[in-house]
mmCIF file of all heavy atoms in Angstrom:
data_model
loop_
_atom_site.group_PDB
_atom_site.id
_atom_site.type_symbol
_atom_site.label_atom_id
_atom_site.label_comp_id
_atom_site.label_asym_id
_atom_site.label_seq_id
_atom_site.Cartn_x
_atom_site.Cartn_y
_atom_site.Cartn_z
ATOM 1 N N ILE Q 35 12.730 -4.230 -3.146
ATOM 2 C CA ILE Q 35 13.251 -4.584 -4.471
ATOM 3 C C ILE Q 35 12.248 -5.440 -5.237
ATOM 4 O O ILE Q 35 12.022 -5.259 -6.437
ATOM 5 C CB ILE Q 35 14.610 -5.301 -4.337
ATOM 6 C CG1 ILE Q 35 15.663 -4.317 -3.797
ATOM 7 C CG2 ILE Q 35 15.055 -5.881 -5.676
ATOM 8 C CD1 ILE Q 35 16.991 -4.952 -3.482
ATOM 9 N N GLN Q 36 11.605 -6.380 -4.515
ATOM 10 C CA GLN Q 36 10.564 -7.204 -5.152
ATOM 11 C C GLN Q 36 9.399 -6.336 -5.622
ATOM 12 O O GLN Q 36 8.832 -6.564 -6.700
ATOM 13 C CB GLN Q 36 10.060 -8.262 -4.157
ATOM 14 C CG GLN Q 36 11.062 -9.373 -3.877
ATOM 15 C CD GLN Q 36 10.593 -10.293 -2.757
ATOM 16 O OE1 GLN Q 36 9.450 -10.217 -2.305
ATOM 17 N NE2 GLN Q 36 11.483 -11.160 -2.295
ATOM 18 N N ARG Q 37 9.070 -5.330 -4.831
ATOM 19 C CA ARG Q 37 7.965 -4.446 -5.211
ATOM 20 C C ARG Q 37 8.318 -3.644 -6.461
ATOM 21 O O ARG Q 37 7.464 -3.388 -7.325
ATOM 22 C CB ARG Q 37 7.652 -3.495 -4.049
ATOM 23 C CG ARG Q 37 6.484 -2.546 -4.303
ATOM 24 C CD ARG Q 37 5.214 -3.286 -4.609
ATOM 25 N NE ARG Q 37 4.061 -2.407 -4.644
ATOM 26 C CZ ARG Q 37 2.926 -2.687 -5.251
ATOM 27 N NH1 ARG Q 37 2.778 -3.839 -5.884
ATOM 28 N NH2 ARG Q 37 1.919 -1.834 -5.235
ATOM 29 N N PHE Q 38 9.579 -3.253 -6.586
ATOM 30 C CA PHE Q 38 10.041 -2.518 -7.766
ATOM 31 C C PHE Q 38 9.871 -3.372 -9.022
ATOM 32 O O PHE Q 38 9.546 -2.854 -10.094
ATOM 33 C CB PHE Q 38 11.517 -2.128 -7.576
ATOM 34 C CG PHE Q 38 12.038 -1.198 -8.622
ATOM 35 C CD1 PHE Q 38 11.952 0.176 -8.464
ATOM 36 C CD2 PHE Q 38 12.638 -1.692 -9.772
ATOM 37 C CE1 PHE Q 38 12.444 1.041 -9.434
ATOM 38 C CE2 PHE Q 38 13.132 -0.842 -10.749
ATOM 39 C CZ PHE Q 38 13.031 0.532 -10.576
ATOM 40 N N ASP Q 39 10.091 -4.681 -8.859
ATOM 41 C CA ASP Q 39 9.978 -5.618 -9.983
ATOM 42 C C ASP Q 39 8.537 -6.092 -10.190
ATOM 43 O O ASP Q 39 8.277 -7.277 -10.371
ATOM 44 C CB ASP Q 39 10.869 -6.841 -9.738
ATOM 45 C CG ASP Q 39 12.332 -6.532 -9.968
ATOM 46 O OD1 ASP Q 39 12.628 -5.644 -10.773
ATOM 47 O OD2 ASP Q 39 13.175 -7.169 -9.311
ATOM 48 N N ILE Q 40 7.605 -5.168 -10.150
ATOM 49 C CA ILE Q 40 6.188 -5.524 -10.295
ATOM 50 C C ILE Q 40 5.959 -6.211 -11.644
ATOM 51 O O ILE Q 40 6.376 -5.714 -12.689
ATOM 52 C CB ILE Q 40 5.292 -4.265 -10.160
ATOM 53 C CG1 ILE Q 40 3.820 -4.636 -10.357
ATOM 54 C CG2 ILE Q 40 5.753 -3.151 -11.070
ATOM 55 C CD1 ILE Q 40 2.862 -3.484 -10.071
ATOM 56 N N PRO Q 41 5.339 -7.393 -11.658
ATOM 57 C CA PRO Q 41 5.146 -8.133 -12.920
ATOM 58 C C PRO Q 41 4.041 -7.506 -13.776
ATOM 59 O O PRO Q 41 3.080 -6.948 -13.262
ATOM 60 C CB PRO Q 41 4.770 -9.535 -12.449
ATOM 61 C CG PRO Q 41 4.152 -9.330 -11.093
ATOM 62 C CD PRO Q 41 4.864 -8.152 -10.479
ATOM 63 N N TYR Q 42 4.201 -7.624 -15.062
ATOM 64 C CA TYR Q 42 3.210 -7.096 -16.002
ATOM 65 C C TYR Q 42 2.081 -8.102 -16.199
ATOM 66 O O TYR Q 42 2.325 -9.256 -16.545
ATOM 67 C CB TYR Q 42 3.877 -6.796 -17.353
ATOM 68 C CG TYR Q 42 2.915 -6.572 -18.480
ATOM 69 C CD1 TYR Q 42 2.018 -5.503 -18.458
ATOM 70 C CD2 TYR Q 42 2.884 -7.450 -19.575
ATOM 71 C CE1 TYR Q 42 1.133 -5.307 -19.492
ATOM 72 C CE2 TYR Q 42 1.996 -7.254 -20.623
ATOM 73 C CZ TYR Q 42 1.118 -6.171 -20.565
ATOM 74 O OH TYR Q 42 0.226 -5.976 -21.598
ATOM 75 N N PRO Q 43 0.830 -7.678 -15.975
ATOM 76 C CA PRO Q 43 -0.306 -8.578 -16.214
ATOM 77 C C PRO Q 43 -0.669 -8.590 -17.709
ATOM 78 O O PRO Q 43 -0.781 -7.544 -18.342
ATOM 79 C CB PRO Q 43 -1.424 -7.942 -15.383
ATOM 80 C CG PRO Q 43 -1.079 -6.492 -15.343
ATOM 81 C CD PRO Q 43 0.425 -6.398 -15.387
ATOM 82 N N TRP Q 51 -0.256 0.426 -18.609
ATOM 83 C CA TRP Q 51 0.244 -0.167 -17.358
ATOM 84 C C TRP Q 51 1.572 0.456 -16.941
ATOM 85 O O TRP Q 51 1.778 0.788 -15.775
ATOM 86 C CB TRP Q 51 0.416 -1.677 -17.554
ATOM 87 C CG TRP Q 51 1.075 -2.360 -16.376
ATOM 88 C CD1 TRP Q 51 0.484 -2.769 -15.228
ATOM 89 C CD2 TRP Q 51 2.463 -2.720 -16.265
ATOM 90 N NE1 TRP Q 51 1.405 -3.356 -14.388
ATOM 91 C CE2 TRP Q 51 2.625 -3.334 -15.009
ATOM 92 C CE3 TRP Q 51 3.557 -2.583 -17.121
ATOM 93 C CZ2 TRP Q 51 3.869 -3.814 -14.575
ATOM 94 C CZ3 TRP Q 51 4.793 -3.048 -16.677
ATOM 95 C CH2 TRP Q 51 4.947 -3.655 -15.416
ATOM 96 N N VAL Q 55 0.768 2.487 -13.693
ATOM 97 C CA VAL Q 55 0.947 1.531 -12.599
ATOM 98 C C VAL Q 55 2.428 1.341 -12.254
ATOM 99 O O VAL Q 55 2.883 1.682 -11.159
ATOM 100 C CB VAL Q 55 0.308 0.157 -12.945
ATOM 101 C CG1 VAL Q 55 0.545 -0.822 -11.781
ATOM 102 C CG2 VAL Q 55 -1.187 0.311 -13.210
ATOM 103 N N ALA Q 56 3.189 0.834 -13.218
ATOM 104 C CA ALA Q 56 4.574 0.465 -12.923
ATOM 105 C C ALA Q 56 5.445 1.669 -12.570
ATOM 106 O O ALA Q 56 6.174 1.651 -11.566
ATOM 107 C CB ALA Q 56 5.177 -0.289 -14.110
ATOM 108 N N SER Q 57 5.385 2.726 -13.380
ATOM 109 C CA SER Q 57 6.253 3.887 -13.143
ATOM 110 C C SER Q 57 5.991 4.564 -11.798
ATOM 111 O O SER Q 57 6.932 4.859 -11.053
ATOM 112 C CB SER Q 57 6.103 4.899 -14.288
ATOM 113 O OG SER Q 57 6.656 4.373 -15.473
ATOM 114 N N ILE Q 59 4.747 3.208 -9.094
ATOM 115 C CA ILE Q 59 5.195 2.296 -8.040
ATOM 116 C C ILE Q 59 6.722 2.321 -7.924
ATOM 117 O O ILE Q 59 7.284 2.412 -6.829
ATOM 118 C CB ILE Q 59 4.699 0.860 -8.305
ATOM 119 C CG1 ILE Q 59 3.192 0.774 -8.038
ATOM 120 C CG2 ILE Q 59 5.460 -0.147 -7.438
ATOM 121 C CD1 ILE Q 59 2.575 -0.567 -8.377
ATOM 122 N N ARG Q 60 7.406 2.264 -9.040
ATOM 123 C CA ARG Q 60 8.870 2.285 -9.009
ATOM 124 C C ARG Q 60 9.395 3.602 -8.453
ATOM 125 O O ARG Q 60 10.378 3.629 -7.711
ATOM 126 C CB ARG Q 60 9.410 2.036 -10.423
ATOM 127 C CG ARG Q 60 9.219 0.603 -10.882
ATOM 128 C CD ARG Q 60 9.483 0.445 -12.362
ATOM 129 N NE ARG Q 60 9.217 -0.936 -12.799
ATOM 130 C CZ ARG Q 60 9.011 -1.292 -14.055
ATOM 131 N NH1 ARG Q 60 9.023 -0.373 -15.019
ATOM 132 N NH2 ARG Q 60 8.780 -2.559 -14.364
#
Side-chain angles (χ1 to χ4, degrees):
I35 293 174
Q36 288 173 10
R37 182 58 171 159
F38 189 90
D39 284 332
I40 178 173
Y42 166 63
W51 173 82
V55 179
S57 291
I59 287 175
R60 288 168 183 161

